[in-house]
Amino acid sequence: MTETSTVERKPRRIRLADGTGPVLAVLAVLLIALAFVGPAYSEPAGYLALLKRAAPLMILAIGQYFVIVSGGFDLSVGSLVTAQVVIAARLIDGEEGATLWVIPLLLVTGALVGLVNGLITTRLLVPSFIVTLGMLLVLDGAVFLWTGGSPRGALSEAFRVVGREGFEVPLLGSVPWSVLLLAALVVAAVLFMRGGTGRTLVAIGDNDKSVRLGGGRVENLRTLAFVLSGISAAIAAILLGGFAGVSAQVGEGLEFRVITAVVLGGVVLGGGRGSVVAAMAGALTLEALFSLLNLLGVAGGLESAVQGVIIIAAVAYASVGRIPFRTRRST
Amino acid sequence: MAASTTAAPARPARRLAGLLQPTVIVYLALVLLLIVGSILVAARGGMLLDQGGILNILTRSTALGLVAIGQTMVILTGKLDLSVAYLIGLCSLIGAETMGGDPGMIVPAVLLTLACAAGVGLVNGLVITKLKVNAFIATLGMALIIRGYLESAYSGPSGDVPRAFQHLGYARIGPIPVSALLMLALAGLAWWYLMRTKGGYHVYAVGGDEEVARFSGIRSDRTIITVHVLCAVAAGLAGLFLASRLGSGAPWVGVDAGYDLESIAAVVLGGTLLAGGRGGVAGTIGGVLILATLDTIFDDLGVTPFFKDVVRGAVLILAVALYARRRGLLR
Amino acid sequence: MVVTGLTDEAPAVRMRAIGKQFFGNSVLRDVDLDLYPGEVHALVGENGAGKSTLMKILAGVHRPDAGTVELGGEDVTFGSPRQAQAAGISIVHQEFNLLGDRTVAENVFLGREPVRRGQVDRKRMEADTAELLDGLGERGISPRTAVRRLPVAHQQVVEIVKALSTDAKVLAMDEPTAALADHEVELLYGLVKRLRERGIAVLYVSHRLREVFDLSQRITVLKDGELVTCTPTKELTSDQLVRHMVGRPLEAQFPDLADEAHLGRTRLSVRGGGNARLSGIGLDVRAGEIVGLAGLQGAGRSAVARAICGVDPFTEGTVELDGSPVTPTSPRSAIRHGIAFVTEDRKGDGLALRQSVRDNALLVRRAAFGRARGLGALDLAALLRSVTLVSRGPDQEVRYLSGGNQQKVVLAKWLAVEPNVLVVDEPTRGIDVGAKRAVYDLLRGLAREGVAILMISSELPELIGMSDRVLVMHEGRLAGELPAGPTEEAVMTLATGHELEAA
């Protein structure tokens, strides 16, 4: 052996997790382009508004990231968001006092749905794609069964504060509450992913057997990922309900949009690869793109076409050129 | 992992598992469902399997069956196709607009529609194999692109289907619609292709283990492209069938019925492994019939449509959990 | 330096002055190789010596940068496996290339299914497969069985039949016994003999020297991409062969054994341990001691390891750690009791290949202990130094490391939880000689620090050289115990179920 025994010589520097670079570059380009195209983006308020719009998707992206990086899918989040908003409206029905107990109830419901997803996936060994697809159908049906076809009731003012209002900060102007909430969640998610549990979650997506033999509770951690995804859907629902109001379409297509965002951030479907920051950057990129297209006067229809092209291009860019690596499929 | 397990001694459990081939389970479940359904409907003074009932079940099965046949082939290779729902809408429009009420244009319109569908499938296949984009992302991207086109070019139904072509959708022999027979014939053809031809063998090989297939000299890229083209053509046929039922093309006819996820559900319900390599068309048709029968029973019982979704989701998860258990027994 | 062939015939394959570079690294330089019909030609060398590259060039997977491959006097240098196959060269891969859900016949003819009137001619396919199996004297395998249901040895046969079905004149076998139990190896021996009789040239790549001596007529040794020697097998002793491979004598390969003064109290003690595969297991391992666990494949060695480490726990009997009874019912509980388990299958069980060295080294610590770890602070750099890991730093993904360094990462992740008992299953499988030595030193060093080590190895010299005591298993039971430095004969006698004659 001619190798020398050096372990670590380089000074430590801040390192971008793999796959983060491209999405941040694209995001930067988009943000700069926004400044040129839209007069609103000449000051912080414009970007804060963008963040406010993007917050629900970014929060969903955090939850979806946990599930994808540990090797699963969560297709139920879109329906879950709709369900949550509809439930909130029905329960609150314009009554301010109800807000206090409805919000925790939503969080618990979200966690419960995630728990069921996780338990069926890990204990009954059903692929998560199918489990969450089934959950999507169940939620869709159940909510409308309960409301009788169309959403009833109304949200309280207090409920809508987080999604709609802001607070004054010198220099920045009005900072939306949702942005503050988002910032808090970002910090929490980053800390979580740096900690032992987060790293173990990624390792599960890579090789769950090694984690099991290493003493990890694979089933519990996978279930935890689904629970976190469910909770993120609840939070997103609270923001969306406040922001956009009650409708039966509020969560429509969100599951695919959030998976798009996460994948755009360089997170690999099948697990084991990608960072949570990049997943959120993917979500923000998507929203920034929509804003830009809007400003450029591109018709609504093209918006989704562009989304389609971009997601394919992003993944193609990431996978072509990467050294092919032999992996055996795991069901 | 293809071949790492050692043979276990023959046990009663194995014999039981052998009896419980997914295809057998599916049809047993279908028979059971028909019996229970008949009793329930009879208890309300109706009759499930009268002429109208059979007609109803088969008509419902036709469009979904067509899509699901294609989807089966794609899933057998370990991929999936999320673009079929929008493609159906697109094809119904292409067909109906090209016909423009002129019976002489029927044949050209059908050919054009199927060619367009094949083109979409070809692009899907190429993106997956040459650009190495995960099938989930590639076909999701394609779905968004088609949606973008539909959104910007159409606001509602368009085109005109001549009466002669409408016969295809409504003509029947006794209680059995001609279109359903055509669908079953197509299923037979697909069965023959998968079970008897070289191409079909390669579909199973690629789904079983792509590496092994490649090492054995199979051009797996070609196989994957072929199934995507076939799947898209099947979706094109579904689009034409729906156009003949509606009398015109409708952009959202595929999406509103959720044919993308629904077809995947039917395939998986029919016992085909989502990871590929195992299953077949026979099971899929069983899965489609079960879904259609459930719908018909609920209609006859006057249950709200929302309840259907709930049952559907639950049935899907339960069925796959059952198959997973069965595979566990075989291990 | 080509040695005249064993026959007067022209070689089936003549490779001349083969050179190959990957990313500027020269992996083969000026290598010659002749394969004669009816000859088993062994190709040996350390990992990274270039064996598999040479084999892949033969099989058309890689194209050589220099040199030629001649077949019957013609330059044929292949561009794809398909071309090589068409020319009669087949390869039996180390990992099985079979589809478990398909039948034997479907696997054998995979990609080359005979077609009649547009349909696959299933009958002919099955008949031809049966004939091929018959030709090899394998009548116990039905062409219609799903491969999944065959025992591993039969799967290997199918793999070989598949390679032969292309009318192969030349068959390259890459570690064909890697997945076989010892009694199954016999089956392969017979098969290889019959291949020879049929005039097929066999290129046999193996790490197992015994097989090389048992089967081959000539041996080619590669080292660092260059040809060391090509010699008739009869003219070589195994010491000479190892020297050719390693460039140094076999002696001084193992660190010194423990002396009595270093041995502490009993750390691990099993009494009457049994489960579905084991019965009446009783063993003790003392602090500072390395106990070897010998036995044929399938005798239950790994089952003992898995039972102690809570993977497939004992259902009867007791396990004591440092004198107090414990019941490791899961890997997690075993680890929390201070038991570490270096598994046999490094890539499948041991490592998360796409994660960094750091994340793998910390994996057990994080997975098994969580927040309340009750472990001291960890100096990662020191840990990695202690296992003499060579890497581009803790951020490198482990899949880019050599087999030896990957194994060091596996050891590091267990050392990170400071185990009292270390169970190692085939710790040097598939790693080269230099790295083996490092692993031996590491294990011995741990023992000196008071760790009790139970070591399983199929390589008897290694097991004997490393163990302070050897326990021998036979059919799920302990057949006997031997003191340090037993003879191979003594171990094999016990392992095959015989009594040792009273000394």
Side-chain angles (χ1 to χ4, degrees):
Chain A
M1 296 260 81
T2 50
E3 294 155 311
T4 48
S5 191
T6 48
V7 175
E8 197 179 12
R9 202 58 66 68
K10 276 181 288 179
R12 293 207 57 177
R13 63 195 168 85
I14 293 181
R15 199 177 53 95
L16 291 175
D18 68 338
T20 316
V23 69
L24 289 183
V26 173
L27 181 59
V29 170
L30 282 172
L31 293 181
I32 295 168
L34 276 175
F36 279 103
V37 177
Y41 291 93
S42 56
E43 44 190 307
Y47 289 104
L48 284 175
L50 171 66
L51 271 180
K52 182 176 164 185
R53 278 197 304 280
L57 190 66
M58 290 173 78
I59 290 167
L60 279 176
I62 300 177
Q64 190 72 235
Y65 166 81
F66 294 137
V67 175
I68 289 183
V69 89
S70 62
F73 280 103
D74 191 349
L75 296 179
S76 66
V77 287
S79 315
L80 184 53
V81 166
T82 307
Q84 300 272 26
V85 171
V86 171
I87 290 172
R90 174 100 192 248
L91 289 181
I92 293 176
D93 206 6
E95 202 180 310
E96 292 296 328
T99 315
L100 267 184
W101 60 268
V102 167
I103 286 184
L105 181 80
L106 293 185
L107 293 174
V108 170
T109 333
L112 266 179
V113 168
L115 186 68
V116 172
N117 281 336
L119 288 179
I120 295 177
T121 304
T122 57
R123 312 292 154 158
L124 297 184
L125 306 177
V126 180
S128 57
F129 186 95
I130 302 295
V131 176
T132 54
L133 171 57
M135 182 57 85
L136 178 157
L137 292 171
V138 171
L139 284 173
D140 266 0
V143 161
F144 290 100
L145 197 58
W146 185 53
T147 56
S150 60
R152 272 184 271 169
L155 295 171
S156 61
E157 280 309 309
F159 187 94
R160 303 193 63 170
V161 162
V162 200
R164 241 185 343 193
E165 313 286 324
F167 58 100
E168 288 300 320
V169 171
L171 290 176
L172 286 177
S174 169
V175 174
W177 286 109
S178 58
V179 174
L180 189 71
L181 180 63
L182 175 67
L185 289 175
V186 169
V187 172
V190 168
L191 289 180
F192 176 76
M193 285 316 292
R194 288 199 170 182
T197 315
R199 301 317 305 162
T200 309
L201 204 59
V202 184
I204 288 174
D206 193 344
N207 183 351
D208 56 349
K209 229 167 143 190
S210 76
V211 177
R212 192 171 290 120
L213 286 169
R217 286 180 289 203
V218 172
E219 285 75 19
N220 293 8
L221 283 172
R222 278 212 164 115
T223 307
L224 174 69
F226 282 101
V227 170
L228 291 176
S229 178
I231 293 175
S232 79
I235 299 173
I238 294 169
L239 293 187
L240 278 171
F243 186 70
V246 186
S247 86
Q249 280 80 40
V250 62
E252 214 174 66
L254 264 185
E255 62 277 354
F256 286 125
R257 183 172 288 201
V258 71
I259 291 175
T260 307
V262 171
V263 169
L264 200 58
V267 181
V268 173
L269 292 183
R273 211 175 184 120
S275 85
V276 67
V277 176
M280 281 182 292
L284 185 56
T285 306
L286 214 52
E287 289 290 347
L289 180 75
F290 293 149
S291 303
L292 186 66
L293 291 176
N294 238 333
L295 284 173
L296 292 173
V298 176
L302 273 184
E303 198 174 280
S304 61
V306 170
Q307 190 188 344
V309 172
I310 283 199
I311 177 178
I312 292 177
V315 177
Y317 171 81
S319 48
V320 174
R322 181 174 285 163
I323 301 162
F325 178 62
R326 184 166 179 171
T327 45
R328 291 280 181 162
R329 194 205 319 265
S330 61
T331 33
Chain B
M1 297 296 299
S4 56
T5 44
T6 47
R11 282 168 295 167
R14 171 184 293 276
R15 217 169 303 143
L16 184 72
L19 247 181
L20 296 180
Q21 285 294 329
T23 319
V24 181
I25 304 180
V26 173
Y27 284 95
L28 283 179
L30 178 62
V31 171
L32 195 71
L33 183 65
L34 285 171
I35 294 171
V36 173
S38 299
I39 294 170
L40 285 177
V41 175
R44 290 180 50 117
M47 185 167 168
L48 178 64
L49 286 182
D50 57 4
Q51 183 144 336
I54 293 173
L55 184 67
N56 205 338
I57 291 174
L58 288 176
T59 308
R60 279 175 199 274
S61 300
T62 305
L64 182 60
L66 286 169
V67 194
I69 291 167
Q71 194 72 263
T72 306
M73 295 198 242
V74 172
I75 291 181
L76 278 175
T77 61
K79 315 287 171 196
L80 45 78
D81 191 342
L82 295 173
S83 66
V84 285
Y86 291 100
L87 184 58
I88 288 171
L90 180 67
C91 286
S92 75
L93 288 164
I94 295 174
E97 289 196 332
T98 313
M99 287 177 203
D102 176 4
M105 287 301 286
I106 289 179
V107 174
V110 168
L111 291 178
L112 179 71
T113 308
L114 296 185
C116 287
V120 169
L122 184 66
V123 173
N124 278 338
L126 287 173
V127 169
I128 291 165
T129 55
K130 305 301 173 193
L131 296 184
K132 311 221 178 311
V133 176
N134 184 307
F136 183 98
I137 299 296
T139 56
L140 176 59
M142 178 56 83
L144 292 170
I145 292 170
I146 299 176
R147 174 177 144 189
Y149 172 72
L150 293 176
E151 265 177 9
S152 53
Y154 296 95
S155 53
S158 169
D160 183 13
V161 172
R163 289 205 68 82
F165 193 66
Q166 288 196 30
H167 281 309
L168 180 73
Y170 288 97
R172 54 195 165 95
I173 306 167
I176 301 177
V178 172
S179 53
L181 286 178
L182 289 177
M183 185 274 284
L184 289 176
L186 189 76
L189 204 62
W191 180 87
W192 176 81
Y193 173 74
L194 287 171
M195 303 307 287
R196 292 281 180 264
T197 72
K198 214 165 155 159
Y201 273 52
H202 295 179
V203 167
Y204 282 96
V206 169
D209 192 323
E210 211 175 317
E211 295 278 346
V212 172
R214 239 197 326 261
F215 273 130
S216 305
I218 292 172
R219 296 192 181 92
S220 55
D221 284 7
R222 217 180 259 191
T223 305
I224 291 167
I225 293 171
T226 308
V227 291
H228 274 97
V229 170
L230 291 175
C231 178
V233 169
L237 288 171
L240 286 171
F241 165 71
L242 289 170
S244 87
R245 295 279 302 179
L246 298 172
S248 66
W252 311 120
V253 64
V255 186
D256 290 343
Y259 280 130
D260 40 7
L261 296 179
E262 193 95 339
S263 64
I264 294 173
V267 171
V268 172
L269 194 60
T272 297
L273 218 56
L274 194 62
R278 221 167 205 238
V281 174
T284 298
I285 295 300
V288 169
L289 288 173
I290 286 183
L291 289 177
T293 308
L294 269 178
D295 274 1
T296 309
I297 293 173
F298 285 140
D299 278 359
D300 284 4
L301 293 178
V303 178
T304 81
F306 310 119
F307 188 61
K308 281 194 283 203
D309 276 342
V310 179
V311 172
R312 224 173 247 230
V315 165
L316 179 63
I317 293 174
L318 273 176
V320 180
L322 184 68
Y323 301 147
R325 189 127 297 225
R326 200 192 76 89
R327 269 181 84 74
L329 276 183
L330 270 176
R331 281 275 158 85
Chain C
M1 46 187 307
V2 177
V3 175
T4 3
L6 303 174
T7 60
D8 297 331
E9 291 173 71
V13 173
R14 188 196 292 268
M15 297 176 87
R16 279 291 170 273
I18 300 290
K20 179 75 189 172
Q21 297 194 331
F22 286 121
F23 310 111
N25 290 330
S26 176
V27 287
L28 281 178
R29 276 181 305 278
D30 200 23
V31 175
D32 295 343
L33 183 76
D34 286 335
L35 300 175
Y36 288 89
E39 174 195 42
V40 176
H41 192 133
L43 183 60
V44 297
E46 292 185 72
N47 273 13
K51 293 169 305 202
S52 45
T53 311
L54 188 63
M55 192 165 107
K56 283 178 179 161
I57 287 173
L58 175 66
V61 178
H62 297 318
R63 219 175 229 293
D65 298 329
T68 55
V69 180
E70 290 172 24
L71 204 74
E74 257 176 89
D75 182 354
V76 289
T77 313
F78 306 114
S80 76
R82 252 184 130 83
Q83 285 175 14
Q85 239 179 45
I89 297 178
S90 279
I91 197 165
V92 177
H93 293 274
Q94 187 175 355
E95 277 174 82
F96 289 163
N97 272 282
L98 299 173
L99 301 166
D101 287 326
R102 307 293 277 172
T103 68
V104 171
E106 283 165 351
N107 269 286
V108 167
F109 283 92
L110 187 61
R112 296 172 293 104
E113 296 86 355
V115 174
R116 195 162 153 255
R117 282 191 237 130
Q119 295 201 30
V120 172
D121 192 345
R122 178 180 286 271
K123 279 208 182 102
R124 199 181 118 204
M125 208 165 81
E126 281 166 2
D128 287 359
T129 306
E131 198 177 308
L132 282 165
L133 286 164
D134 244 23
L136 293 173
E138 296 295 340
R139 291 186 180 78
I141 304 173
S142 157
R144 286 192 203 170
T145 320
V147 162
R148 187 185 293 291
R149 305 194 171 195
L150 295 175
V152 180
H154 283 175
Q155 293 184 7
Q156 179 75 318
V157 172
V158 174
E159 182 81 45
I160 292 169
V161 167
K162 181 178 170 185
L164 287 178
S165 66
T166 54
D167 255 339
K169 304 282 183 296
V170 178
L171 193 62
M173 303 171 98
D174 189 2
E175 300 272 358
T177 53
L180 299 189
D182 288 1
H183 63 274
E184 295 171 328
V185 171
E186 290 299 320
L187 209 142
L188 184 81
Y189 275 26
L191 200 64
V192 171
K193 286 216 177 82
R194 280 188 291 268
L195 293 177
R196 269 190 64 206
E197 284 159 15
R198 285 169 51 174
I200 288 168
V202 178
L203 181 67
Y204 196 92
V205 179
S206 182
H207 270 114
R208 298 191 183 177
L209 297 190
R210 182 185 302 160
E211 286 166 23
V212 167
F213 279 100
D214 284 351
L215 285 174
S216 72
Q217 281 75 57
R218 284 194 303 157
I219 301 176
T220 289
V221 182
L222 293 181
K223 181 170 165 54
D224 298 334
E226 293 185 33
L227 181 68
V228 178
T229 180
C230 173
T231 316
T233 309
K234 279 184 222 148
E235 295 167 20
L236 271 180
T237 66
S238 89
D239 281 0
Q240 284 170 325
L241 182 59
V242 170
R243 212 165 316 150
H244 281 312
M245 288 164 62
V246 189
R248 67 167 170 270
L250 195 57
E251 284 76 45
Q253 208 185 344
F254 302 105
D256 294 337
L257 297 181
D259 49 46
E260 187 58 34
H262 278 116
L263 296 184
R265 60 210 158 81
T266 301
R267 290 220 107 140
L268 170 71
S269 166
V270 180
R271 288 286 166 270
N275 60 22
R277 302 204 48 201
L278 301 168
S279 62
I281 302 295
L283 58 85
D284 293 300
V285 187
R286 297 169 66 185
E289 192 181 29
I290 297 181
V291 173
L293 196 54
L296 302 176
Q297 289 244 343
R301 296 170 308 180
S302 295
V304 169
R306 294 168 73 82
I308 292 171
C309 301
V311 183
D312 301 314
F314 287 122
T315 48
E316 50 193 65
T318 56
V319 178
E320 284 185 10
L321 283 176
D322 291 326
S324 45
V326 293
T327 44
T329 51
S330 69
R332 187 182 180 83
S333 68
I335 291 162
R336 289 179 158 218
H337 283 119
I339 303 176
F341 182 21
V342 175
T343 48
E344 186 177 8
D345 180 1
R346 187 165 54 240
K347 289 187 178 170
D349 296 340
L351 292 168
L353 287 168
R354 292 189 299 183
Q355 308 306 311
S356 64
V357 167
R358 176 190 292 114
D359 283 340
N360 272 285
L362 295 178
L363 188 136
V364 180
R365 218 178 140 87
R366 288 163 168 168
F369 290 90
R371 218 165 291 273
R373 35 181 66 115
L375 293 170
L378 181 79
D379 181 350
L380 183 68
L383 175 67
L384 297 182
R385 261 198 308 278
S386 75
V387 296
T388 66
L389 178 76
V390 182
S391 72
R392 275 194 270 126
D395 293 327
Q396 190 178 15
E397 288 180 32
V398 293
R399 65 175 156 138
Y400 296 121
L401 298 178
S402 69
N405 279 309
Q406 289 183 346
Q407 187 69 319
K408 290 174 189 171
V409 174
V410 173
L411 285 165
K413 82 171 179 180
W414 290 109
L415 299 189
V417 292
E418 298 155 23
N420 298 325
V421 175
L422 181 62
V423 180
V424 289
D425 195 352
E426 305 286 0
T428 64
R429 172 168 287 177
I431 69 179
D432 60 50
V433 175
K436 278 186 184 176
R437 175 68 211 219
V439 169
Y440 298 150
D441 286 341
L442 193 65
L443 291 177
R444 184 48 75 184
L446 287 171
R448 294 220 174 91
E449 286 168 21
V451 178
I453 298 178
L454 186 65
M455 171 169 163
I456 296 171
S457 174
S458 295
E459 287 183 42
L460 271 185
E462 166 179 294
L463 193 80
I464 292 168
M466 285 297 293
S467 304
D468 300 312
R469 252 184 320 135
V470 176
L471 302 173
V472 187
M473 294 201 65
H474 176 66
E475 292 183 350
R477 294 168 174 276
L478 285 176
E481 178 177 331
L482 298 164
T487 61
E488 293 198 19
E489 289 71 35
V491 175
M492 286 314 290
T493 309
L494 287 172
T496 47
H498 298 88
E499 298 284 322
L500 279 186
E501 288 168 35

